Amino acid sequence: MTTIAVLADPPREGLVATDLAATSPLTEAEAAEWYEAVLKDVLVAVDRSGGDLLVNYRPDDLLPDDHVTETASEAAVRAVAASTLDDLDDVRFEPQVGSTISARAGNTVTHLLREEGVTSAAVVDPTIPFLTRPLIDNAAMKLRRSEVVLGASTRGRVYYAGFTAPIDFTDAYADPPLETLTAGGRDADLDVDFLPVQPVVETGDDLLDALPLLNARVDAERPVPVHTATVADELGLRVAYGEGERRVVRD
């Protein structure tokens, strides 16, 4: 069974999804709504899978000073989980350790594998609205045959990174993380496998990939990330086509 660490920030305006706000029609407040919705869908997917959910939140001492509020980071993230999941009894909440994504992911995975003795550990960032239970369970099966399993996304990014043995995580998420994580696995003489490509949403350009897929699945009455689809609908987001270009617009 894989322990899956979801790297979660409190969904505060100006703290999360700032690149998305800067490169799309969304305001910082709306981008924070989007982030929270995706985080909820990721929590649901992991909770419904065969893995163990670890909510790995960024504590107050790792947040920029102007985003520390009277509500502790842990409490804010717990509130999101409590509003989303039916039961938190089997959900772990642990603070992240490290000043960079590479350090935080590496510390979490290495601790789980070496100190807690879990069979496999994975890291997920809440930028992947299309993470599903079958996808997570597929990763678990692949981790029985390969020591490193990566979920590939566009432009060399990753949405899932699973391990049965640690690698050197120093700068492991340096651009492009798909290549650097793969190189880290191969440098450690580990087998590396991949999950199907899925779009992550970090910028306005990413919405050009995600929104048509999201809206098409809604129209086809296929399973969708409910919280993300709801926010996209409330914000009136869609992709407009004209004069040889695509752009994100709002109804």
Side-chain angles (χ1 to χ4, degrees), residues 192-213:
V192 181
D193 202 351
F194 302 95
L195 298 172
V197 175
Q198 294 287 341
V200 298
V201 179
E202 297 175 333
T203 68
D205 283 347
D206 294 331
L207 288 173
L208 297 174
D209 297 321
L211 288 174
L213 176 59

Side-chain angles (χ1 to χ4, degrees), residues 232-238 249-251:
D233 181 66
E234 290 173 348
L235 295 174
L237 296 175
R238 64 181 178 86
V249 300
R250 304 180 65 163
D251 292 328

Side-chain angles (χ1 to χ4, degrees), residues 64-88:
D65 291 342
D66 54 348
H67 291 293
V68 176
T69 70
E70 293 181 356
T71 301
S73 175
E74 178 182 1
V77 172
R78 279 182 177 272
V80 173
S83 69
T84 308
L85 305 177
D86 294 332
D87 188 353
L88 298 185

Side-chain angles (χ1 to χ4, degrees), residues 20 34 127-130 153-157 197-217 238-241 246-248:
L20 180 60
W34 175 278
T127 58
I128 167 65
F130 299 101
S153 188
T154 55
R155 300 200 299 277
R157 292 171 293 179
V197 175
Q198 294 287 341
V200 298
V201 179
E202 297 175 333
T203 68
D205 283 347
D206 294 331
L207 288 173
L208 297 174
D209 297 321
L211 288 174
L213 176 59
L214 186 64
N215 293 331
R217 293 190 70 85
R238 64 181 178 86
V239 177
Y241 299 82
R246 303 180 300 158
R247 67 187 190 281
V248 177

Side-chain angles (χ1 to χ4, degrees), residues 43-75:
L43 294 177
V44 169
V46 177
D47 185 63
R48 291 177 178 175
S49 75
D52 291 330
L53 173 57
L54 167 60
V55 181
N56 206 200
Y57 63 89
R58 189 152 53 128
D60 289 335
D61 60 352
L62 292 182
L63 296 179
D65 291 342
D66 54 348
H67 291 293
V68 176
T69 70
E70 293 181 356
T71 301
S73 175
E74 178 182 1

Side-chain angles (χ1 to χ4, degrees), residues 111-126:
H111 174 80
L112 289 170
L113 293 174
R114 288 182 174 169
E115 304 301 325
E116 297 193 12
V118 303
T119 303
S120 56
V123 173
V124 173
D125 191 69

